[in-house]
Each structure stands twice: as C-alpha cells, then as structure tokens.
C-alpha cells in the first residue's frame, strides 16, 4: 500500500490512506481514490474522477480524460466509477459532456477487459463484462448483468437491457431488450441469453415464460410495439414485464427485432 515515489500526484488529489498507487502513475488534481483502490504501474487518471472502494486499475489505462467529442468545449464534467471494478490494461473511460448530463457513470463489480472503451455520458450498471477491445459509444445505457463480446461496438444512444449478451465482432445500432441475444456483424436479435439466465438461477417457469414472450414478439400480429403492449396485458412474469417496460419506454430509439 501507499504511493510509489515515482508516481506523480497533483496537488488537490484525494487518495485514501489504504489505496495503492504504483510506479509511474499520474493522478490529477481533481481525482478521488477511495479505500483499497489499487493502481498498477503507468496508470493515468485525470479530470473530476471518483474511483470507488476496492477497484483495481491495471497498467496503461487512461481514465477520466476529456471526451472524444468535437462538441466538447472544456465544460466541467466528471466520471464516477463504483466499487470492486477490474479495469484491465489500455482501457479508456472518458468524462461526460454538457449535452449528455455532464457525467459518465460506471457501477459496481464490473470487468473491463484489455483495450475496451467507455465513452462520454455512458451509463454502465453492475456485474457487466466488457470483453477485449469492445467499445461503448457516447450516451449509451448498459444495464446490469450484460456481456459485450470482444470487438463488439455499441452505437451512441443505444440501450442494452439487463442480462443481454452481445456476440463477438457485433455492431449494435438499436436498443436490445433485456435478456436478448444479439450476434452477426450487423447485429440481429437472435434469441434469449438462456445460458446467462440459467447461470443466475432464474426459475424454469420464468425461462419458459420468457421463451414464449420472445416467440410472441417475433411472430405475433401487428407492429413490434403492438405485440409488446399485448404481451404486457397478458403476462404474469416479472421478467417478461421487464422486457415490456423496456420496449414501451418512450426513448425515441428503435429496437433490434427478432429475425
């Protein structure tokens, strides 16, 4: 524990006594490192960035830098990272912009594998896995328990619902329902994340209800919105209700629909 003598700590930085700052790290003046945070060597943290308890950031990650957005004019914005995250080598996370609310938020217990990117104003929930070199664009919402496969890309303003899984090398341009499975180079909603549901111990009755709901959304009469509305009137499953609420939320976005 402690701060390595080769680290550069700017005046004003707040570092908990239990935190560890490794060799050749740079910590900016507005950074706050919570209890038991660990920075391996050569980590750069800048901007108004808060890192929660127990988070470990590995070498050559760049956290809290300004957005990669030409509309950004230097306005005050921040990055909030929760507890017990694992942020691996060469990960980049940017602060927010005025147009997106001024904050990028990352929840708890997430794994960000090497080379992935979290852009300005993104909201990432809890227990999310972002695999190597995946990229989340600005203003996206990634809900809890999502897996983003390696080299995948999430287009700006897209929402990915809880428990969904995105296959490797997939480009996602529209919202993904909770528990959805998306794959192919231009992503299609190809089913449900059944493996993830089983791993979390979801009851068989709920999985059966989800499968029936997916078939209704895929093959029922009327528009996708009509089918979701009808499904909401009929279901008794909380999991199906979560999908219905997600679809019917007024966001102005389109959805990936079943093939």
């Amino acid at each position: 524990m402690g701060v390595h003598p080769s680290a550069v700590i700017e005046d004003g930085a707040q570092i908990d006594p239990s935190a560890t700052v490794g060799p050749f790290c740079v910590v900016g003046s507005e950074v706050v490192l919570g209890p038991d945070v660990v920075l391996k060597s050569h980590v750069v943290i800048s901007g108004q960035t808060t890192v929660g308890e127990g988070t470990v950031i590995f070498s050559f990650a760049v956290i809290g830098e300004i957005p990669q957005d030409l509309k950004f004019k230097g306005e005050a914005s921040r990055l909030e990272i929760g507890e017990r995250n694992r942020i691996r080598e060469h990960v980049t996370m940017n602060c927010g912009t005025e147009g997106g609310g001024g904050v990028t938020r990352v929840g708890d217990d997430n794994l960000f594998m090497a080379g992935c990117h979290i852009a300005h104003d993104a909201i990432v929930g809890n227990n999310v896995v972002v695999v190597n070199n995946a990229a989340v664009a600005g203003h996206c919402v990634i809900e809890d328990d999502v897996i983003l496969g390696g080299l995948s890309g999430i287009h700006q303003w897209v929402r990915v619902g809880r428990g969904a899984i995105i296959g490797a090398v997939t480009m996602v341009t529209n919202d993904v329902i909770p528990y959805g499975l998306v794959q192919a180079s231009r992503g299609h909603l190809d089913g449900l994340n059944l493996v993830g549901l089983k791993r979390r111990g979801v009851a068989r009755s709920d999985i059966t209800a989800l499968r029936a709901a997916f078939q209704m959304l895929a093959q029922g009469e009327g528009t996708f919105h009509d089918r979701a509305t009808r499904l909401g009137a009929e279901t008794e499953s909380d999991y199906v209700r979560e999908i219905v609420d997600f679809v019917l939320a007024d966001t102005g976005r389109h959805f990936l629909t079943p093939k």
Side-chain angles (χ1 to χ4, degrees), residues 4 11 22 30 65 73 89 132-133 171 180 186 193 195 198-199 207 210 253:
H4 193 276
D11 292 342
E30 298 179 288
E65 265 293 353
K73 302 302 181 184
E89 297 81 359
N132 303 73
N133 298 299
M171 181 64 197
R186 281 285 177 177
N193 183 14
V195 172
K198 291 173 182 176
R199 284 176 176 171
I207 292 177
L210 283 166
R253 292 289 307 172

Side-chain angles (χ1 to χ4, degrees), residues 1-235:
M1 291 189 293
V3 177
H4 193 276
S6 67
V8 177
I9 311 298
E10 296 183 1
D11 292 342
Q14 300 178 45
I15 301 175
D16 189 273
S18 64
T20 299
V21 179
F24 307 106
C25 292
V26 178
V27 180
S29 62
E30 298 179 288
V31 171
V32 178
L33 302 182
D36 298 316
V37 167
V38 176
L39 308 186
K40 303 287 189 176
S41 68
H42 299 85
V43 174
V44 176
I45 305 186
S46 59
Q48 297 181 32
T49 300
T50 302
V51 183
E53 180 175 0
T55 288
V56 179
I57 305 178
F58 287 73
S59 301
F60 303 105
V62 179
I63 307 298
E65 265 293 353
I66 64 172
Q68 299 176 88
D69 183 347
L70 293 175
K71 298 185 298 297
F72 181 74
K73 302 302 181 184
E75 64 267 21
S77 63
R78 63 190 192 276
L79 168 64
E80 299 175 355
I81 298 174
E83 300 180 353
R84 298 177 302 279
N85 292 284
R86 294 295 178 268
I87 301 172
R88 295 304 303 254
E89 297 81 359
H90 299 279
V91 169
T92 54
M93 296 182 179
N94 295 156
C95 289
T97 65
E98 183 178 13
V103 60
T104 304
R105 287 194 178 93
V106 172
D108 303 330
D109 301 301
N110 301 300
L111 171 59
F112 300 92
M113 295 189 190
C116 68
H117 175 63
I118 306 298
H120 58 88
D121 307 298
I123 306 297
V124 179
N126 305 317
N127 300 300
V128 170
V129 177
V130 183
V131 182
N132 303 73
N133 298 299
V136 176
H139 312 283
C140 290
V141 177
I142 311 298
E143 295 188 352
D144 296 349
D145 304 314
V146 166
I147 298 175
L148 305 181
L151 296 166
S152 62
I154 313 299
H155 191 276
Q156 60 186 7
W157 298 102
V158 161
R159 297 181 302 152
V160 180
R162 183 164 78 102
I165 184 168
I166 310 300
V169 200
T170 297
M171 181 64 197
V172 180
T173 57
N174 289 307
D175 290 357
V176 179
I177 61 171
Y179 314 109
L181 165 64
V182 176
Q183 55 188 353
S185 56
R186 281 285 177 177
H188 300 287
L189 186 60
D190 205 27
L192 295 170
N193 183 14
L194 296 174
V195 172
L197 291 166
K198 291 173 182 176
R199 284 176 176 171
R200 285 193 292 276
V202 174
R204 183 180 296 273
S205 59
D206 282 309
I207 292 177
T208 299
L210 283 166
R211 297 182 77 164
F214 184 86
Q215 290 302 313
M216 181 174 177
L217 289 172
Q219 300 175 0
E221 297 180 356
T223 66
F224 189 68
H225 191 278
D226 291 339
R227 284 173 255 165
T229 301
R230 191 162 60 251
L231 181 61
E234 299 174 0
T235 189

